[in-house]
Every structure is written in structure tokens, then in C-alpha cells.
Amino acid sequence: MRKQIIIRTALVTALILIGIFLYVIGKEHKVVIDNRDISIGDITYSASTTYVVWVDNQEIGVIKKGERNAAIVTGVSHKIVVEEIKSNVLTGEKHEKRFRLKTNESATVNIPAIINNANEWIDKTN
Amino acid sequence: MRKKSLTKTMNPSVLFLINYAVPIIFIILIAFAIPLSGLSGLYFIRELMIRLSRNSFLILALLIPVMAGMGMNFSIVLGAMAGEIGLIFITDWQIVGISGMLLAILISTPIAVLLGYFAGIVLNRAKGREMVTGFMLAFFMNGIYQLFVLFGMGNIIPISNSSILLPRGYGIRNTINLLGIRQVLDKLIPLKIGDILIPVATFLVIATLCVFITWFRKTKLGQDMRTVGQDNEVARVSGINVENTRVLSIVISTVLACYGQILFLQNIGTMNTYQSHEQVGVFAIAALLVGGASVAKANIPNVFIGVILFHTMFVVAPRAGKALMGQAQLGEYFRVFVSYGVIAFSLALYAWRKRVEKENERKKIMNYRKSILAK
Amino acid sequence: MKKKIQNIIENFGLPRIIIFLFLVLLFILTPFVGIRFDTSINDIIVRFGMNGILVLSLIPMVKTGCGLNFGLQLGIIAGILGAVISIEMEMIGFTGFFTAIGIAIFFAVIFGFLYGLLLNKVKGDEMVVATYVGFSSVSFMSIMWLMLPFKSPNMIWAYGGSGLRTTINTKGYWFHVLTDFLKIKIGNYIFFPSGTILFFAFLTFLVWAFFKTKIGTAMIVVGSNTDYANSCGINVDKMRSISVILSTVIAAIGIIVYQESFGFIQLYTAPLFMAFPAVAALLLGGATVGKASIKNVIIGVFLFQSILTMTPSVVSNIIKSDMSETIRIILSNGMIVYALTRITRVRT
């Protein structure tokens, strides 16, 4: 009898845990990608060129200076890659950043900050 | 006249014709309608493939209650509702992909178990008229579902995603876009032959269910169900808890129907919040009957033959109607008529035979009594 | 004392008590939510007249043990046929109304006869078979409405398209001929539709009188004990057939009265679920699957229609949204499920 109760509780707990796990890895997040001027502390990084952006190996598209685009991502850990375009040709100069999002978090990413390796390149909001 | 020929005939070919009247009529109908529709073979195969993957699971969910002698389980609609509630929640929380689908399954399973348990108890109280009760129960629960989804959600049950809520602030919209889980299972294992996408993973799931049902028949519980299905009293004497067994068969069926509906909707990709489940029972049952099943006997081949025949008709009827009468609407009405007609016909045929058998038995007993008295 | 209350509850049925109390509550609430009491009463009376005969039509079949007539739609179809043919013939006023009824009875007898033959073959499973016979006949007639060669410009689509419209107006033909007959006006808000009520009373009397005749009593015997009826030399199948025909005929008349009062003939899928509210009303009136009386009809229609009239207006005034459809579904189908789970199997 006791054993049965323990097994059942364990089973229910396991299912709830699986549920939480599925929730976390299946949750959608919105990531806004800015190619705009940004001031962090005293330093201002200015957007000057056009970039192609990939998020989680999915091409988001070309973002000109002063523009923004958005990506919908699923799960916890993500990768963003930006590559500069000069006169319609990819320069081959890639910048890669990795980031993690908690459930219910969305993020704004700034390209000039990524290029300049600034610490505050990502802004996560709930 | 027919009554006599039905009861007295022992000619096997005539018996076969009577037993399989529905599938035979269907094959003839389709044979006429296919050339009329003018559909290409490839289009046809693609459509059939989609419909096989979409509907088989729901129809398989009907098999277990038939085993337990409860006839066609019209209350699988309750399972479909449970599945839809799961889907509403994951859409609200924006959980996508295969994990979204699994989470929907996880959420809706306990709801389906509860609803199935409730349905089982109700049906136990209506022994001998399970079908009409199950059918009315489905209607009744549709009202409860409406109360819950149209008035409760966003009110008592928190819904944060305003895009699925009605403009007035509570209640779920009439249609929900399931973009996040659209065909995730169908495309999980990609395989294309020519132009036709084959939903390998979905078929694997269906195959697993077939194996499960075959295995289930051989388990203790499965054997018990068959005993209960044959004769309640015999089962009771041999120590089977008849009521429990019947409830269990309905619970299993409801849970399977819940998964079936999720599978169905992930293929379609949009959900009619208040209509998607309504016709689930009718179409599944009609298809199973078209596959040659009866109220008392249904097996896995019936399911697949049924899907193929029934849905071929579904694909062909509107086009044939248009070619014949210049109106697609006619075909629509025709296929609804056929769905209801098939059920009416099969149920009537079954009830008629049951009664004839009963009467024959009674006559036998009377004659036996008479012969004893004569001695 | 406690036992006495229990007895009353047992006799009257718990759901009926709940619904009755609910209704009383609704009536008490009316003044507080700004609804005129007298208009509500008027609505209830009008609806009573509209739906009474349809519910009455269930009685003969229950009496002979055929169960609740879930195939009521057959009668409705006969009635619609009568109605559209009378309009096609340009019959106006009482002539039109009675022509419609005459034609409807003709079709209802034919349909009822065939339906009766079928139901005699499936004794014991009448209800589930009847449900699907009803459904399939409605969908079959949907095809027919598209194809039958009706010509009247008031009934076919004005532009292109063939077949009858989904709703046909009875204005200009026999709209409210019965309702306005001997209409009594009480105050500014109550119009008593004497004609409709009198017609209902007349039919009710006929049904009551019929069951006093020799055939009628024979039918009751069939319903209460088939074996006994057999041994009395009553032709069970014949009696059942007569009851089915009778039910179908009354249903056909019932739908015409409904259309006369409502103002529209609804075609295609509209009649699909019409059997359920009627059945629910009868059950609400205290009938069971095996037993029903005129009293059940009157109480049932009154309770059921009162709830349907009062709930939407009162509830929507409180929560500011229309719950009437949902409540109707829950109430009528819940009532039927309740009745189905309470009965012991009718003997075959």
C-alpha cells in the first residue's frame, strides 16, 4: 500500500517535471535585433553599416543602419551571428554571441555593441 | 419478405452480402464517383495519405469500448475536447514545436481521464442504451465546454495571450492558429517520395497504437473486457468487476481520442474552438462502420479500410456533385447525408439482427418447453 | 418529515426542483435588472404556443413503448414540405395554413408508416436508430431542397443559384393567421395569442380523447406490457406503427404552427437538432423514457420555455454577454442524459 503511494507520487512528480521541462524548452521568446546607435555609460557605439543576421542558424535578414528586425526563438540557449555587408558583398567578418533566456524573458540585441564587444550588448526584459 | 430471407438464410454468400452491405455499397458509390470527379491519381494518393495520418488514430480509439460490449463510443467527443483544452493552453503560453505538442498531451491527459471516468459512470447507469446516452452526453458536455472556454477562460482561468481572446476580454476566439505546432509530428522524420510528403512519425505513432491494441486484447484486462462484452452476468460470476471494467474501457478510449484529436489538429494547423470536436464522433464512427465493423465487432483492419473508403468518398463527393449537378454544395450535403445514413443503416441492421436472434432463441426455448410438456 | 421531503424530491425529481427554483429566482430578479415582467410573460405564452404541439407529438410513441422520438425531424420535414408546397400554390390566409397542414399530414402518414416499419424491426434500440434516421433524413432533404423544382420567387434565390432559400418568409401567406385569431390584448405589453393556444388545446384534447378509444387503450397496453398485449390478441407491431404515424403527423402540424408564429420556414440543416429541445421539454415536465402524459407536456413546455426566455434576458443583463445558447445546450441535453440514466430498460 505504502509502496503504491510512493510510486504514484513519484510518477506524478516525474510528469510534472517533464511538463516543466517541456515548457522551458518549448517556450517562444521574441528577440529584437537593433542596428542603431547605442550609448552605454559614456561611450556611444554608432551604427554605420549593413549587416546580415542569423539567429540559431536561421537567417533573419539584412538590417540596414538605423533599422531593427525581430526573431522568434524557442528554448533556452541561443546563438546570434552578424556579418557585415559592404556594397552588397558579404565581408566574411563574422561576430558570434551566445545567450540564454529564462522563461517569459524576451531580449533586445544591439549590433554595434556586438561588433565592439561591449558587455551590455543584450538587454533582457520580462 | 426480406425479414424472412434474413433470418432463414444460411447461404454463406448471402450472409456475407448482409454482413458487409455498407462497405459494398460504398465501393460501388466510389467506383461511380471517382471517374466523375476527374481527379488525378497523384492528387488522390496525396489526399488519402493525409487523411490516413489524420484520422486513423481517432478511429482506433473506438475499438476498446466495442470490445467491452459498449458499442460505438459516441463520447469520444469528450476526449477531443480535453485535447483542445491542452492545445488552448500551449497556444496561450506560446510553447511550440514537438515539445509544445507533448506538453499539450501532458496537460490534457488528466482532463481526458476525468472526463472518461465521468462518461463511464454515466454509461454504466444507462446499460443497454450506451450509444444514445453517449451521444447525448457528448452534446451536454459540449455545453459545459462552451461554458468553460467561452465564459471561463480569461475570466476565472487566466489567459495571458490576448491574441487568442475575444475582443471583449474573456472567452477564446472562434479559431485559433496552431502555427507553433503545425505538422511538427508529420515533419519530424522527413521523407518525400516524388511530390508526396510522407508523415513517417505520425504513421509510427499510429502503428504503435495498433500494436498496443493487439497486445491489450491479450492482457488480463483485455480478456476481462471481452468477457464483459459477451455477457455481463457470466463475467460477474467469474469474478470480474463489470462496472469497473466498463469504466476503464471508456477511460482508455477517451484518452486515446484526446491524443487523436491533438494529432488531427497538428496536421490541420488551425482549430475551430467550438466546432472542431463536434463532428469527431460521427465521422469516426461512420468511417469505422464503412470499414465493415459492427456495433459488436470491430478490429484494426476495419479502421484502415474504413478510413480509405470513407475519406475517398469525402474527397470525391464535392467534385462529383459539381460535375453532376454543377453545385459543389450538393456534394457537401451528400457526404453529410452519407455519414449519418451509414450510421443509421448499420445501427438499424445490427439492432434488427440482434432482435431476430433473440426471438429465434426464445422460440427454441418455447419449443423445448413444449416438447418437455408433451412428454 | 425528512422522509417526506425526500419522498417529494423523489417524486418530483431533483433536476425539476432545481430548475423550478432557478426559474423563481429569475422571476424575482427581473425588476432589478430592468426587464419588464409583463413582456417576459408575453414571450413565454407565445413560445408556449409555438412549441407545445411539437412536444405533444412525442406522446403517442412514448405511450406504446417506442421511447422518446429522436426522429422527430421526419415529422418536421413533412411539415416543411406541406408549408413550401402551400406557398408554391400561392395559398393565403387560413386556406394556406390548412392546405399546408393537409399536405403535411399526407407526407407525414407516408413517412410515419415507413419509419414505423423500421422501428418495429429494431425494437429495444429505437432511440439510437431514430436519432440517426432523423439526422440522415434532414441531410437527405438538404439535397432535395436544392434539387426540387420550386418556382415561387418568394422561395428561390433571387440571383443565380438554384434551390430554395435557407429561410422562407411566411409573411404575405399565412404568417400569424392563428396567432392573430381572436387575439386578446391585455395592457400594453401582453398579447394573448388565443388562436395558437386554442389550436394547441384542441389537438391536446384530440390526443387525450384518442387514448380513451379502443385503439388508444390497446396502445397503452402495448406500451406497458408487450407480452400481456400479445396474449390479449393485440397486434403489437400494428399498434406501434399507428403510434409512430400519429407522432409524425402531430410533429408535422407542430412545425407548421411554429413557422406560422415564428414567421419563417427554416430549411436545410436547421431542423437537424430540433428533436432535442422538444424531448428535453417533455422530460422536464416529468416524463420518463417509458411514461409520459399530457400533464408532462404542459408543465414541461411551460418550464422549458420560461427558462429559455428568462435566462438570456436576465443573465445577459447581469454579466453583459449572451449565454443563452450555452445554457440552452446544457439544460436540454443535460435533461435528456439525466432521463436516460434513470430508466430501467424498456422491455422488448
Side-chain angles (χ1 to χ4, degrees):
Chain A
M1 196 59 206
R2 230 188 110 115
K3 203 175 151 195
Q4 205 178 12
I5 293 171
I6 293 170
I7 290 172
R8 281 188 185 172
T9 330
L11 204 70
V12 171
T13 326
L15 285 175
I16 292 173
L17 286 177
I18 292 172
I20 295 170
F21 173 72
L22 289 171
Y23 188 99
V24 171
I25 65 162
K27 177 76 183 171
E28 274 188 336
H29 307 276
K30 192 175 182 187
V31 177
V32 176
I33 304 145
D34 268 349
N35 189 7
R36 290 177 176 170
D37 298 353
I38 186 173
S39 301
I40 300 165
D42 303 333
I43 318 157
T44 300
Y45 304 105
S46 58
S48 51
T49 46
T50 308
Y51 292 92
V52 185
V53 180
W54 290 265
V55 175
D56 293 345
N57 299 324
Q58 278 261 292
E59 185 173 329
I60 303 305
V62 175
I63 307 179
K64 290 181 186 155
K65 68 173 177 184
E67 287 185 350
R68 65 165 37 176
N69 208 333
I72 303 287
V73 297
T74 315
V76 181
S77 55
H78 307 283
K79 186 176 79 176
I80 179 166
V81 177
V82 298
E83 186 174 349
E84 195 181 341
I85 290 190
K86 269 185 183 156
S87 51
N88 288 332
V89 181
L90 286 167
T91 56
E93 192 188 329
K94 287 186 182 175
H95 298 267
E96 188 182 312
K97 289 277 180 194
R98 288 174 181 278
F99 59 98
R100 293 172 71 84
L101 291 171
K102 291 189 192 119
T103 36
N104 299 332
E105 253 180 1
S106 51
T108 308
V109 176
N110 188 278
I111 297 178
I114 293 177
I115 304 298
N116 293 299
N117 254 328
N119 277 332
E120 289 89 349
W121 61 276
I122 188 163
D123 180 26
K124 295 175 190 172
T125 45
N126 255 321
Chain B
M1 281 308 284
R2 271 195 70 195
K3 185 179 167 189
K4 273 184 187 157
S5 65
L6 182 79
T7 52
K8 289 190 181 160
T9 185
M10 281 302 142
N11 187 340
S13 61
V14 176
L15 266 180
F16 177 84
L17 274 182
I18 293 170
N19 280 342
Y20 293 102
V22 181
I24 291 167
I25 293 169
F26 243 75
I27 290 170
I28 295 170
L29 263 178
I30 290 169
F32 275 105
I34 287 182
L36 271 175
S37 70
L39 291 170
S40 76
L42 201 67
Y43 174 84
F44 201 70
I45 291 171
R46 188 186 305 151
E47 277 294 310
L48 261 188
M49 187 77 71
I50 293 172
R51 281 155 194 274
L52 262 175
S53 71
R54 232 187 237 171
N55 298 290
S56 306
F57 201 105
L58 273 170
I59 303 170
L60 284 166
L62 293 168
L63 294 185
I64 287 173
V66 174
M67 240 166 82
M70 301 179 78
M72 293 293 152
N73 181 15
F74 281 93
S75 55
I76 60 165
V77 174
L78 272 62
M81 289 174 195
E84 285 171 14
I85 289 172
L87 289 174
I88 291 173
F89 278 120
I90 62 147
T91 316
D92 174 39
W93 299 336
Q94 291 164 304
I95 314 297
V96 298
I98 202 82
S99 50
M101 197 180 135
L102 289 175
L103 187 61
I105 287 176
L106 203 64
I107 297 165
S108 47
T109 306
I111 304 173
V113 170
L114 259 162
L115 289 178
Y117 185 71
F118 171 65
I121 287 174
V122 170
L123 294 187
N124 265 346
R125 298 196 58 177
K127 262 188 214 139
R129 40 185 97 248
E130 287 93 349
M131 283 193 279
V132 66
T133 311
F135 167 86
M136 290 315 305
L137 185 66
F139 272 105
F140 170 66
M141 288 309 286
N142 191 27
I144 304 285
Y145 173 88
Q146 265 186 30
L147 198 67
F148 188 71
V149 175
L150 190 59
F151 298 99
M153 283 198 171
N155 235 347
I156 307 159
I157 306 138
I159 296 287
S160 52
N161 185 348
S162 61
S163 70
I164 63 166
L165 285 179
L166 288 167
R168 66 175 186 208
Y170 64 91
I172 303 296
R173 275 173 199 268
N174 284 331
T175 49
I176 294 182
N177 207 331
L178 301 174
L179 262 185
I181 63 153
R182 184 161 186 266
Q183 300 187 348
V184 280
L185 189 65
D186 293 348
K187 290 179 176 161
L188 191 65
I189 304 171
L191 175 68
K192 253 191 171 177
I193 297 177
D195 260 354
I196 304 170
L197 179 102
I198 297 174
V200 184
T202 314
F203 282 132
L204 279 178
V205 171
I206 292 167
T208 316
L209 179 60
C210 291
V211 173
F212 167 77
I213 289 173
T214 320
W215 167 79
F216 183 79
R217 277 178 203 271
K218 294 188 185 115
T219 58
K220 167 84 171 61
L221 185 59
Q223 294 290 351
D224 285 0
M225 274 182 196
R226 281 159 74 169
T227 318
V228 170
Q230 252 129 40
D231 196 320
N232 276 346
E233 291 316 309
V234 171
R236 199 161 285 144
V237 169
S238 49
I240 298 169
N241 188 336
V242 175
E243 270 65 34
N244 251 341
T245 314
R246 285 163 55 99
V247 170
L248 263 176
S249 83
I250 295 292
V251 170
I252 295 172
S253 171
T254 312
V255 171
L256 288 178
C258 156
Y259 299 163
Q261 181 75 350
I262 293 177
L263 220 65
F264 178 88
L265 289 172
Q266 66 88 34
N267 176 278
I268 300 221
T270 49
M271 175 172 130
N272 280 320
T273 317
Y274 306 103
Q275 275 112 49
S276 281
H277 53 265
E278 274 185 342
Q279 298 289 28
V280 162
V282 170
F283 287 157
I285 288 165
L288 186 59
L289 292 172
V290 168
S294 80
V295 174
K297 204 168 140 274
N299 52 31
I300 295 171
N302 293 145
V303 173
F304 293 104
I305 297 171
V307 180
I308 292 172
L309 288 181
F310 190 65
H311 284 278
T312 302
M313 208 273 306
F314 257 46
V315 175
V316 170
R319 303 233 178 185
K322 201 165 181 191
L324 211 59
M325 296 291 168
Q327 270 179 318
Q329 189 61 41
L330 200 78
E332 293 285 333
Y333 286 135
F334 183 70
R335 63 189 197 182
V336 176
F337 164 61
V338 167
S339 314
Y340 287 139
V342 159
I343 298 179
F345 185 79
S346 305
L347 294 180
L349 200 66
Y350 174 73
W352 181 6
R353 290 184 50 181
K354 192 171 75 181
R355 207 186 122 241
V356 168
E357 272 160 28
K358 213 189 252 170
E359 235 150 64
N360 284 348
E361 204 125 292
R362 205 157 99 173
K363 264 180 208 155
K364 248 187 228 163
I365 293 171
M366 290 286 239
N367 286 342
Y368 180 69
R369 272 193 199 152
K370 264 183 205 160
S371 66
I372 285 177
L373 282 177
K375 274 177 195 169
Chain C
M1 187 63 196
K2 204 177 164 192
K3 207 158 195 183
K4 216 173 177 183
I5 292 173
Q6 248 171 2
N7 240 340
I8 292 172
I9 291 177
E10 194 61 35
N11 280 338
F12 208 58
L14 193 61
R16 212 156 302 118
I17 294 173
I18 295 171
I19 284 162
F20 184 74
L21 291 178
F22 181 59
L23 190 62
V24 171
L25 179 78
L26 286 179
F27 272 116
I28 295 170
L29 279 174
T30 38
F32 299 103
V33 293
I35 295 163
R36 290 199 62 96
F37 190 74
D38 39 10
T39 44
S40 305
I41 292 286
N42 187 44
D43 281 353
I44 292 169
I45 295 170
V46 169
R47 279 157 170 263
F48 182 94
M50 263 167 90
N51 294 283
I53 298 171
L54 280 175
V55 180
L56 179 71
S57 82
L58 300 166
I59 293 285
M61 275 177 68
V62 176
K63 290 240 186 205
T64 52
C66 293
L68 302 163
N69 183 15
F70 283 112
L72 182 75
Q73 293 99 325
L74 273 176
I76 292 180
I77 285 169
I80 295 176
L81 271 171
V84 289
I85 291 174
S86 85
I87 290 185
E88 178 76 14
M89 287 157 69
E90 296 288 328
M91 300 292 227
I92 292 164
F94 267 114
T95 341
F97 181 68
F98 285 111
T99 313
I101 286 181
I103 298 166
I105 290 175
F106 170 74
F107 283 110
V109 170
I110 297 173
F111 292 169
F113 177 72
L114 297 172
Y115 183 37
L117 281 185
L118 177 70
L119 288 189
N120 278 337
K121 299 260 180 286
V122 298
K123 269 180 215 153
D125 284 302
E126 291 98 344
M127 287 194 279
V128 69
V129 173
T131 312
Y132 278 93
V133 167
F135 283 171
S136 44
S137 54
V138 170
S139 42
F140 176 73
M141 285 316 284
S142 298
I143 301 175
M144 286 297 123
W145 304 134
L146 274 179
M147 291 176 38
L148 289 174
F150 282 103
K151 295 272 167 0
S152 166
N154 290 317
M155 296 200 295
I156 58 172
W157 294 107
Y159 311 101
S162 58
L164 296 168
R165 293 182 204 173
T166 43
T167 51
I168 294 166
N169 207 326
T170 57
K171 273 206 183 83
Y173 294 96
W174 30 265
F175 174 65
H176 274 192
V177 284
L178 213 52
T179 315
D180 291 345
F181 179 71
L182 294 176
K183 189 161 84 175
I184 303 164
K185 199 172 156 191
I186 308 165
N188 277 327
Y189 292 96
I190 299 184
F191 295 91
F192 190 79
S194 321
T196 322
I197 301 293
L198 281 176
F199 194 67
F200 170 72
F202 173 65
L203 280 182
T204 310
F205 171 74
L206 281 189
V207 171
W208 176 82
F210 178 78
F211 280 103
K212 300 281 173 227
T213 63
K214 206 177 151 206
I215 297 179
T217 35
M219 281 176 159
I220 295 172
V221 174
V222 169
S224 51
N225 193 333
T226 320
D227 290 330
Y228 178 66
N230 257 328
S231 61
C232 289
I234 298 171
N235 187 341
V236 173
D237 280 7
K238 194 178 154 200
M239 289 304 146
R240 284 168 54 105
S241 286
I242 295 175
S243 81
V244 174
I245 294 173
L246 208 59
S247 273
T248 312
V249 167
I250 301 172
I253 300 173
I255 192 68
I256 293 178
V257 172
Y258 180 91
Q259 291 158 350
E260 171 268 334
S261 175
F262 183 55
F264 298 97
I265 303 170
Q266 298 164 291
L267 301 180
Y268 298 98
T269 50
L272 203 56
F273 298 123
M274 278 189 183
F276 300 130
V279 171
L282 185 67
L283 295 172
L284 196 56
T288 62
V289 175
K291 227 176 126 206
S293 65
I294 305 278
K295 189 184 78 189
N296 300 141
V297 174
I298 295 168
I299 298 177
V301 178
F302 175 72
L303 277 182
F304 192 70
Q305 293 304 330
S306 308
I307 292 273
L308 288 198
T309 323
M310 301 300 290
T311 348
S313 46
V314 174
V315 173
S316 17
N317 262 293
I318 296 170
I319 68 161
K320 301 287 172 229
S321 73
D322 189 12
M323 278 179 89
S324 54
E325 182 61 14
T326 310
I327 287 174
R328 193 185 62 75
I329 292 174
I330 294 176
L331 186 73
S332 60
N333 298 320
M335 201 60 227
I336 298 174
V337 172
Y338 176 79
L340 286 172
T341 53
R342 286 206 56 200
I343 38 134
T344 46
R345 204 179 157 78
V346 178
R347 250 168 298 168
T348 51

